Amino acid sequence: MTKLKPKSSSRKRRMLASFGKLIAFNIIEMRLAAPIFAQYCKSFHDYGDIVKQIMSKARELNRTKCMRTQLLSLEQLFEELRDQNEGRIDRSSEEWTNIKDLAHRFALMAGVDNYKSRQAVVTFHREGIIYCLLRNGPPDGSPPSNIVFFDILAETTFKLMDIDKKGPKGLLAFLEEQLMKEGEIPEDEIEWVR
């Protein structure tokens, strides 16, 4: 990444910090920060400290909303990548790897106390599962177009507690329920569940 000119860089940093204050004081909705969260890794050297501080303040305000905003930013990056490649995802591409790395960093930012962030992490995964099974076209027997997004969700599962993964109200039961609503999905497409 090329370094920005000092004047241009400081002006953009001030604007970004001002936007962060709007979120911190609850003046604008947190979900509007999704495009900024999405740029965390790309602009790490120039603005990473500010973006990290914005995410930190957002997490202090509401952990669940912050995690939803992070999920939204991952979804936007995923859709952008899919649109660039005309509906296909190359899992060996650098862009795909960058999205997975960003998801992993988001999970690390959830904090070390899993009990405090438990509900937010579960909500993140539930909404992620729903997004993965979302169909963009008519049900023609093909798997959902977002099913590859499960690879990105897998980068964050280490933050889930065992009790939230299994059991009658766990995420695996939730996934099975969603799959039953969805209908038949080829076994090789959901192999990651095992």
Side-chain angles (χ1 to χ4, degrees), residues 2-166:
T2 60
K3 290 285 182 182
L4 296 173
K5 294 179 184 176
K7 247 184 191 177
S8 174
S9 176
S10 66
R11 181 173 177 265
K12 289 179 181 178
R13 287 178 61 83
R14 280 194 314 268
M15 288 176 60
L16 185 59
S18 297
F19 182 78
K21 288 178 184 177
L22 293 174
I23 292 171
F25 292 118
N26 246 351
I27 295 172
I28 61 172
E29 288 188 42
M30 197 179 301
R31 65 181 174 80
L32 296 175
I36 292 172
F37 288 7
Q39 300 302 315
Y40 177 64
C41 289
K42 289 180 186 175
S43 62
F44 187 78
H45 296 293
D46 295 324
Y47 309 111
D49 57 330
I50 298 172
V51 175
K52 188 173 183 178
Q53 187 65 29
I54 292 171
M55 282 192 271
S56 190
K57 288 292 183 188
R59 190 174 62 244
E60 284 176 21
L61 285 173
N62 188 324
R63 287 179 187 273
T64 303
K65 277 188 180 178
C66 181
M67 292 290 286
R68 281 183 172 143
T69 303
Q70 290 173 341
L71 178 64
L72 179 61
S73 67
L74 293 170
E75 290 170 359
Q76 289 173 349
L77 287 172
F78 174 77
E79 289 173 5
E80 184 180 308
L81 179 63
R82 188 180 59 207
D83 291 346
Q84 286 174 356
N85 296 320
E86 299 168 2
R88 299 194 124 320
I89 299 289
D90 179 13
R91 294 186 199 181
S92 62
S93 71
E94 183 179 346
E95 293 87 4
W96 179 254
T97 306
N98 291 342
I99 296 172
K100 287 177 70 172
D101 180 49
L102 183 62
H104 188 78
R105 287 179 189 237
F106 284 167
L108 291 173
M109 286 181 182
V112 290
D113 188 356
N114 287 346
Y115 287 103
K116 282 185 180 176
S117 59
R118 179 179 177 190
Q119 187 59 44
V121 171
V122 169
T123 301
F124 178 90
H125 282 87
R126 282 181 179 261
E127 292 183 9
I129 288 170
I130 291 169
Y131 177 76
C132 290
L133 299 176
L134 187 69
R135 290 198 181 273
N136 292 335
D140 58 358
S142 63
S145 57
N146 298 339
I147 199 136
V148 182
F149 194 78
F150 275 123
D151 283 349
I152 294 170
L153 274 183
E155 290 294 317
T156 62
T157 55
F158 70 93
K159 293 302 279 185
L160 285 168
M161 299 175 76
D162 285 337
I163 195 167
D164 295 327
K165 291 179 190 177
K166 300 172 184 162

